[in-house]
Amino acid sequence: MTYFLDKIREQQPLIHNITNLVVTNFTANGLYALGASPVMANAREEVEEMASIANALVLNIGTLTKEQVEAMIIAGKAANKAGIPVVLDPVGAGATTFRTKSAQTILDQVKVSIIRGNAGEIANLAGVSAEVKGVDASGDFDMEELLQVAYEQLHIPLAITGALDFVTDGKDKAIISNGHPLLTKVTGAGCLLSSVVAAFLAVEKETFKAATRAISCYGIAAEEAASKASLPGDFQVELLNQLYAISEDVLKSKEKILVSRLGSGHA
Amino acid sequence: MTYFLDKIREQQPLIHNITNLVVTNFTANGLYALGASPVMANAREEVEEMASIANALVLNIGTLTKEQVEAMIIAGKAANKAGIPVVLDPVGAGATTFRTKSAQTILDQVKVSIIRGNAGEIANLAGVSAEVKGVDASGDFDMEELLQVAYEQLHIPLAITGALDFVTDGKDKAIISNGHPLLTKVTGAGCLLSSVVAAFLAVEKETFKAATRAISCYGIAAEEAASKASLPGDFQVELLNQLYAISEDVLKSKEKILVSRLGSGHA
Amino acid sequence: MTYFLDKIREQQPLIHNITNLVVTNFTANGLYALGASPVMANAREEVEEMASIANALVLNIGTLTKEQVEAMIIAGKAANKAGIPVVLDPVGAGATTFRTKSAQTILDQVKVSIIRGNAGEIANLAGVSAEVKGVDASGDFDMEELLQVAYEQLHIPLAITGALDFVTDGKDKAIISNGHPLLTKVTGAGCLLSSVVAAFLAVEKETFKAATRAISCYGIAAEEAASKASLPGDFQVELLNQLYAISEDVLKSKEKILVSRLGSGHA
């Protein structure tokens, strides 16, 4: 059994992030801490070339402009051509028409390996009615129902994260119960997770396996961080420490992943 | 007597920030720590819709472009229409003609609830001669005179912050002596304060009361942070911790606000 | 003998940074910690005016757009006219054609005081074949040979930093062995160094002396930080602390600079 972490540290995959203005620094530091090699590049003039030499691409719509949507599509097509995985993080989809439509435009033109978002974002993308307030999810969802319905609409592997995390590739379903509530007090915690998923996908072709392990790994790093830091400033720093310090042995002993068939009812 | 802090934590108001590239992350983390819900969105395509669902809007001109001025005016008008408070932070007004003029254009087209800046910025906006060096205030001002003269020019509630902080709504004047010099060693400390003022305004309609309490609360969080951290890296982290940990009881015991009538002479 | 640090703290030079989206906050905080006064401004509408009042200018191409190249050239010409030093950080030169060409365009139109980059970036700029993977250097270089060959091509003072750091002004050569490997785990550590070099150049006209001392100072701050923090989250915070806490006495006792003539063979 492999946890892919040592593989990331050996291969140091280059993760090309086209992401929002708020989280660039934290995302880059998180990827360095994990052992990956981040690059941020979002000009239409260079994203094709950058995506072509990368090992995975992250498209995050957190502070979108018209120009950035164009750059994401150029980069996404280059990634598809190069055969590298593409992670879409539809930050705030549903909050504004521009975000929802932009995410749909990207999905129309780019083959996305997995979408990672919260319940509200995924529900909006899938056309399931949901109230999205800003970039935070709200409302109560039957998460397993949402996972199934959204997959049926989108036909793309999904990771819906929140108090519990859910992953599906249309066949299997994983419920991951690692993680910590302090993650909701750090801006970009979800965005960094999307980039961590990309790092795992860069070293492991099976999307379901890679995404599930990535989310569990990130959740365990958060648990470790929360055991040392109870306030959000400290926790943010400690999360970077723990992404660096965490080992496959720790993952092995703390992993909480429950796998079943999608549509097999509540686990 | 209320300190509005519990109200922010209960209501988690959505604060829409159109702010500069330097402070997006720190501002979002500061608002989360305080208990508010930040959103950053600055594309002309979506700011109207985002401001319409927000509980307050912050316009910060720290790294302005022509496009961002347009987005700020669109968002500002939407905020005015929705009846939510608008905070203007005229970062570096006076340092370049573009900043001064852009701030004035915003003031011409948007009804601003309060302007929060340092002495140099406010003086420049009000046409009082002042030397502004980059984004830091310099020169010696008679602060109380500046407060009165600037209000007479601008007819907008003002918060002029520095070693001491001054607030007026044209009738009353508050002098707040909470705070700590280490704030001047952290980039975006003033910008975050503007967003904290917006969070207080989102839960309390009386601008003078809300702004005064916001500035005192932020200053006390800085005092608490400085009691635990004497170096700027640590202090920045600790400020986030203390914005999260602070309680209304602490505010009650440490608040240093002196209120008098504007124009009543030196307090 | 002077270490320029006290001079920076006395004069608080205004450093105008046109830099990438990832490192704005960290760069500004690092410059504040050191004692300088940072300003970020990148709109074509204001960079000329801002550069004219600054004491040094930093051009960093880490997340370039066409508009930013134009702004850099406008600012660079204003800096040349005002006679203030200009530091170029060619982040990721070689990774994409757009970056390499943009760096060359800047060099064609702006008189640059010094280029600070890693071996891969400098090699690419100088037309020495080198493999650049993302924004990190790779490949093995004979650093002293690279320094000499690159200078012969570019005729601009160079600082090539890595495990060891090399500086030349075409006459002298310095090898600096201060620093710590944890710097490679913090995003923007190199970018901040470029801005630190600019702060030293702002207070000392002799480029070779100023750059050499700047790089040694930064390396010693990193050593001090690493003696207190062994994980990357902590180290990033501690580096800011140590840039603030460091004194000329510490520099004097820990400085590791070896100066010889360029072309005099291996030191």
Side-chain angles (χ1 to χ4, degrees):
Chain A
M1 180 115 75
T2 172
Y3 293 86
F4 310 124
L5 195 53
D6 293 343
K7 231 171 159 181
I8 289 171
R9 286 161 183 173
E10 278 160 39
Q11 299 183 13
Q12 301 179 41
L14 182 65
I15 312 303
H16 178 190
N17 301 272
I18 305 184
T19 189
N20 69 73
L21 299 174
V22 185
V23 306
T24 46
N25 186 273
F26 188 61
T27 301
N29 274 326
L31 286 172
Y32 271 128
L34 186 72
S37 182
V39 73
M40 272 66 184
N42 50 13
R44 284 164 294 184
E45 289 87 352
E46 69 168 354
V47 289
E48 182 176 0
E49 210 173 340
M50 196 62 94
S52 305
I53 59 167
N55 302 110
L57 173 68
V58 179
L59 305 177
N60 176 311
I61 69 167
T63 51
L64 214 51
T65 59
K66 208 165 113 314
E67 289 73 23
Q68 262 213 312
V69 179
E70 289 170 36
M72 286 183 184
I73 289 168
I74 295 170
K77 287 182 173 172
N80 287 167
K81 204 174 154 193
I84 62 163
V86 178
V87 176
L88 174 66
D89 188 331
V91 180
T96 67
T97 312
F98 179 58
R99 293 198 187 204
T100 313
K101 284 203 174 158
S102 297
Q104 281 160 348
T105 304
I106 292 166
L107 288 175
D108 284 347
Q109 303 211 33
V110 177
K111 193 181 169 316
V112 165
S113 308
I114 190 165
I115 307 173
R116 207 273 338 145
N118 65 35
E121 291 157 356
I122 301 289
N124 271 286
L125 261 193
V128 179
S129 101
E131 189 192 324
V132 175
K133 175 198 169 198
V135 295
D136 296 314
S138 61
D140 288 316
F141 295 95
D142 179 326
M143 296 292 287
E144 301 201 32
E145 194 190 327
L146 173 62
L147 189 74
Q148 191 168 348
V149 173
Y151 184 83
E152 281 162 12
Q153 289 297 319
L154 295 163
H155 292 286
I156 296 169
L158 298 173
I160 309 181
T161 60
L164 289 177
D165 306 317
F166 297 80
V167 178
T168 191
D169 62 352
K171 278 174 274 171
D172 289 320
K173 167 181 74 186
I175 304 178
I176 303 148
S177 43
N178 295 117
H180 195 276
L182 271 172
L183 286 169
T184 65
K185 288 290 168 189
V186 175
T187 201
C191 301
L192 173 53
L193 173 52
S194 293
S195 293
V196 166
V197 168
F200 278 72
L201 263 67
V203 302
E204 166 57 36
K205 279 188 180 295
E206 272 189 56
T207 301
F208 179 77
K209 230 159 119 181
T212 302
R213 282 274 150 73
I215 292 167
S216 171
C217 171
Y218 191 72
I220 294 167
E223 292 167 14
E224 298 286 284
S227 76
K228 292 170 199 294
S230 59
L231 297 170
D234 291 337
F235 177 76
Q236 183 190 2
V237 172
E238 200 55 55
L239 183 59
L240 295 177
N241 288 342
Q242 295 306 320
L243 285 170
Y244 181 80
I246 207 167
S247 69
E248 294 206 351
D249 281 347
V250 173
L251 297 187
K252 199 175 172 179
S253 70
K254 306 221 166 169
E255 189 179 83
K256 292 186 194 161
I257 302 175
L258 201 63
V259 177
S260 59
R261 300 293 290 178
L262 183 65
S264 64
H266 285 208
Chain B
M1 180 113 76
T2 171
Y3 293 86
F4 310 124
L5 195 52
D6 293 343
K7 230 170 159 181
I8 290 171
R9 286 162 182 172
E10 278 158 39
Q11 298 183 14
Q12 299 177 42
L14 182 65
I15 313 303
H16 178 189
N17 301 272
I18 305 185
T19 188
N20 69 72
L21 300 173
V22 185
V23 305
T24 47
N25 187 273
F26 188 60
T27 300
N29 274 326
L31 286 172
Y32 271 128
L34 187 72
S37 182
V39 72
M40 271 67 184
N42 50 13
R44 284 164 294 182
E45 290 88 351
E46 69 168 355
V47 289
E48 182 176 1
E49 210 174 340
M50 195 64 94
S52 305
I53 60 167
N55 301 111
L57 173 68
V58 179
L59 304 177
N60 176 310
I61 70 166
T63 52
L64 215 50
T65 59
K66 209 166 111 313
E67 290 73 21
Q68 262 214 312
V69 179
E70 289 170 37
M72 285 184 184
I73 289 169
I74 295 170
K77 287 183 173 172
N80 287 166
K81 203 175 154 193
I84 62 163
V86 178
V87 177
L88 174 67
D89 188 331
V91 180
T96 67
T97 313
F98 180 57
R99 292 198 187 205
T100 313
K101 284 204 174 158
S102 297
Q104 282 160 347
T105 304
I106 292 166
L107 288 175
D108 285 347
Q109 303 211 33
V110 176
K111 192 182 170 314
V112 165
S113 309
I114 191 165
I115 306 172
R116 206 272 341 142
N118 64 35
E121 291 157 355
I122 301 288
N124 271 286
L125 261 193
V128 181
S129 100
E131 189 192 325
V132 176
K133 176 196 167 200
V135 294
D136 295 315
S138 62
D140 287 317
F141 295 95
D142 179 325
M143 296 292 287
E144 301 199 33
E145 193 190 328
L146 173 62
L147 190 74
Q148 191 168 347
V149 173
Y151 184 83
E152 281 161 14
Q153 289 299 316
L154 296 163
H155 292 287
I156 297 169
L158 298 174
I160 309 180
T161 60
L164 289 178
D165 306 317
F166 297 80
V167 178
T168 190
D169 62 353
K171 278 174 275 171
D172 289 321
K173 167 181 74 187
I175 304 177
I176 304 150
S177 44
N178 294 117
H180 195 276
L182 270 172
L183 286 169
T184 65
K185 287 289 169 190
V186 175
T187 200
C191 301
L192 173 52
L193 174 51
S194 293
S195 293
V196 167
V197 169
F200 277 73
L201 263 67
V203 302
E204 166 58 37
K205 280 186 180 296
E206 272 189 56
T207 301
F208 179 77
K209 230 160 119 182
T212 303
R213 283 274 150 74
I215 291 167
S216 171
C217 171
Y218 191 71
I220 294 168
E223 292 167 14
E224 298 286 284
S227 76
K228 293 170 199 295
S230 60
L231 297 170
D234 290 336
F235 177 76
Q236 182 190 3
V237 171
E238 200 55 56
L239 184 59
L240 296 177
N241 287 343
Q242 296 306 320
L243 285 170
Y244 180 80
I246 207 167
S247 69
E248 294 205 351
D249 281 348
V250 173
L251 297 188
K252 199 174 172 178
S253 70
K254 306 219 164 171
E255 192 180 81
K256 291 186 194 161
I257 302 175
L258 201 62
V259 177
S260 59
R261 301 292 291 178
L262 184 66
S264 64
H266 284 209
Chain C
M1 177 115 73
T2 171
Y3 293 87
F4 310 123
L5 195 52
D6 293 343
K7 229 171 160 182
I8 289 171
R9 286 164 182 169
E10 279 160 38
Q11 298 183 13
Q12 301 178 41
L14 182 66
I15 312 302
H16 178 189
N17 301 272
I18 305 185
T19 188
N20 69 72
L21 299 174
V22 185
V23 306
T24 46
N25 186 273
F26 188 61
T27 301
N29 274 326
L31 286 172
Y32 272 128
L34 186 72
S37 183
V39 72
M40 272 64 183
N42 50 12
R44 283 165 295 183
E45 289 87 351
E46 69 168 353
V47 290
E48 182 176 0
E49 209 173 341
M50 194 63 93
S52 305
I53 60 168
N55 302 109
L57 173 68
V58 179
L59 305 177
N60 175 310
I61 70 167
T63 52
L64 214 50
T65 59
K66 210 166 111 314
E67 289 74 20
Q68 263 214 311
V69 179
E70 290 171 35
M72 285 183 184
I73 290 169
I74 295 170
K77 287 183 173 172
N80 287 166
K81 203 175 156 193
I84 62 163
V86 178
V87 177
L88 174 66
D89 188 331
V91 180
T96 67
T97 313
F98 179 58
R99 293 198 187 204
T100 313
K101 284 203 175 159
S102 297
Q104 281 160 346
T105 304
I106 292 166
L107 287 175
D108 284 346
Q109 303 212 29
V110 177
K111 192 181 171 315
V112 165
S113 310
I114 190 164
I115 308 173
R116 206 272 340 145
N118 63 36
E121 292 157 354
I122 302 290
N124 271 285
L125 261 193
V128 180
S129 103
E131 187 191 326
V132 175
K133 176 196 168 200
V135 294
D136 296 314
S138 62
D140 287 316
F141 295 95
D142 179 324
M143 296 292 287
E144 301 200 34
E145 194 190 325
L146 174 61
L147 190 74
Q148 191 167 348
V149 173
Y151 184 82
E152 281 162 13
Q153 289 298 318
L154 295 163
H155 291 286
I156 297 169
L158 297 174
I160 309 181
T161 59
L164 290 176
D165 306 317
F166 297 81
V167 178
T168 191
D169 61 353
K171 279 174 274 170
D172 289 320
K173 166 181 75 187
I175 303 178
I176 303 149
S177 45
N178 294 116
H180 195 275
L182 270 172
L183 286 169
T184 65
K185 288 290 168 188
V186 175
T187 200
C191 301
L192 173 53
L193 174 52
S194 293
S195 292
V196 167
V197 169
F200 277 73
L201 263 68
V203 302
E204 167 57 38
K205 279 187 181 295
E206 272 189 56
T207 302
F208 179 78
K209 229 160 119 182
T212 303
R213 282 273 150 73
I215 292 167
S216 171
C217 171
Y218 191 72
I220 294 168
E223 291 167 14
E224 298 286 284
S227 76
K228 293 170 199 293
S230 60
L231 297 170
D234 290 337
F235 177 75
Q236 182 190 2
V237 172
E238 201 55 55
L239 183 60
L240 296 177
N241 287 342
Q242 296 307 319
L243 285 170
Y244 180 80
I246 207 167
S247 69
E248 295 205 350
D249 281 348
V250 173
L251 297 188
K252 199 174 173 179
S253 71
K254 307 219 163 171
E255 191 179 82
K256 291 185 194 162
I257 302 176
L258 201 62
V259 177
S260 59
R261 300 292 291 177
L262 184 66
S264 64
H266 285 211

